[in-house]
């Protein structure tokens, strides 16, 4: 939280289907006009509620595809774009991890197998440079701390892989060292 204070964060909040995908470019251009020399990160949570432009009638898959390719276009213009999606219910079984000695260990799975587990993710994942999936691991001995694995399912310029993290209910950490899990012990200067 302390790291985010002072950052120029702009939030656009819309009701589902009030905002069409043809507005993505204009919103990014408006931010670029305000911050011409700064890096831009565009977060869209979540693509399934975006509508078609008023003059088009499209189904959900067509809208999602349009969002994915608009995001790709922005990325080519130097904007980092993060599209969020939840896991499709029918894909929950795909997220069951290899059981090693009674403990789930997602890193024993092929991270690339996690492509396609998001809702309506096909064209978004095809257009994306990187696809990440958070996979829940085991409950750790520390109170309210769970192991979480980040599957790097796709990297256009690299190989799939895994990163182990922990989650305390509100904060993710990439350092699972005991004693650094409680949110109130977090020192932003030391990570």
């Amino acid at each position: 939280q302390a790291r985010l204070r002072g950052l120029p964060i702009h939030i656009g909040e819309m009701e589902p289907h009030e905002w069409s995908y043809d507005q993505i470019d204009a919103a990014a251009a408006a931010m670029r006009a305000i911050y011409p020399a700064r890096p831009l990160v565009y977060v869209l949570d979540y693509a399934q509620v975006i509508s078609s432009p008023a003059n088009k009638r499209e189904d959900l898959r067509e809208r999602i595809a349009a969002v994915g390719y608009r995001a790709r276009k922005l990325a080519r213009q130097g904007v980092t774009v993060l599209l969020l999606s939840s896991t499709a219910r029918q894909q929950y079984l795909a997220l069951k991890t290899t059981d090693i000695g009674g403990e789930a260990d997602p890193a024993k799975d092929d991270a690339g197998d996690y492509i396609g587990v998001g809702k309506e993710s096909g064209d978004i994942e095809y257009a994306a440079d990187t696809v990440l999936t958070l996979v829940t691991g085991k409950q750790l001995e520390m109170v309210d701390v769970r192991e979480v694995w980040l599957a790097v399912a796709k990297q256009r310029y690299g190989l799939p892989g895994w990163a182990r993290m922990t989650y305390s209910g509100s904060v993710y950490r990439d350092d699972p060292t005991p004693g650094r899990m409680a949110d109130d012990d977090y020192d932003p200067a030391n990570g």
Side-chain angles (χ1 to χ4, degrees):
Q1 296 164 345
R3 292 180 191 185
L4 297 177
R5 283 191 200 107
L7 288 178
I9 297 174
H10 299 262
I11 298 174
E13 192 172 334
M14 300 289 180
E15 291 297 318
H17 305 291
E18 266 187 9
W19 200 67
S20 67
Y21 63 75
D22 62 342
Q23 295 172 284
I24 292 173
D25 296 341
M31 287 298 101
R32 180 56 72 207
I34 295 170
Y35 307 105
R38 293 189 73 171
L40 288 181
V41 177
Y42 195 106
V43 180
L44 184 60
D45 184 13
Y46 64 106
Q48 286 82 0
V49 298
I50 291 180
S51 67
S52 297
N55 62 344
K56 286 192 173 185
R57 208 180 152 116
E58 299 168 310
D59 68 20
L60 177 62
R61 288 184 190 268
E62 291 172 309
R63 290 193 317 262
I64 295 298
V67 169
Y69 291 110
R70 296 272 174 144
R72 179 91 181 131
K73 178 183 167 189
L74 285 178
R76 287 186 181 135
Q77 297 169 357
V79 177
T80 298
V81 181
L82 177 62
L83 299 177
L84 302 176
S85 177
S86 58
T87 302
R89 284 190 182 103
Q90 69 270 23
Q91 296 292 344
Y92 285 161
L93 290 178
L95 295 177
K96 288 195 175 203
T97 56
T98 305
D99 195 7
I100 305 296
E103 294 290 341
D105 187 358
K108 301 295 182 187
D109 295 338
D110 181 350
D113 290 344
Y114 287 81
I115 294 270
V117 297
K119 289 182 180 176
E120 307 296 339
S121 60
D123 278 315
I124 290 176
E125 291 183 356
Y126 180 78
D129 284 335
T130 305
V131 175
L132 306 173
T133 302
L134 284 174
V135 182
T136 302
K138 62 187 174 189
Q139 181 71 36
L140 299 178
E141 293 178 14
M142 296 157 274
V143 177
D144 296 327
V145 176
R146 177 165 286 287
E147 180 181 67
V148 177
W149 290 86
L150 177 67
V152 181
K154 173 187 174 183
Q155 287 190 81
R156 195 171 299 275
Y157 306 106
L159 298 173
W162 290 96
R164 182 175 182 259
M165 301 186 305
T166 56
Y167 181 62
S168 67
S170 61
V171 175
Y172 286 95
R173 301 241 190 281
D174 61 359
D175 179 12
T177 306
R180 293 196 54 209
M181 296 300 127
D183 294 344
D184 54 353
D185 290 338
Y186 179 63
D187 178 3
N190 295 317

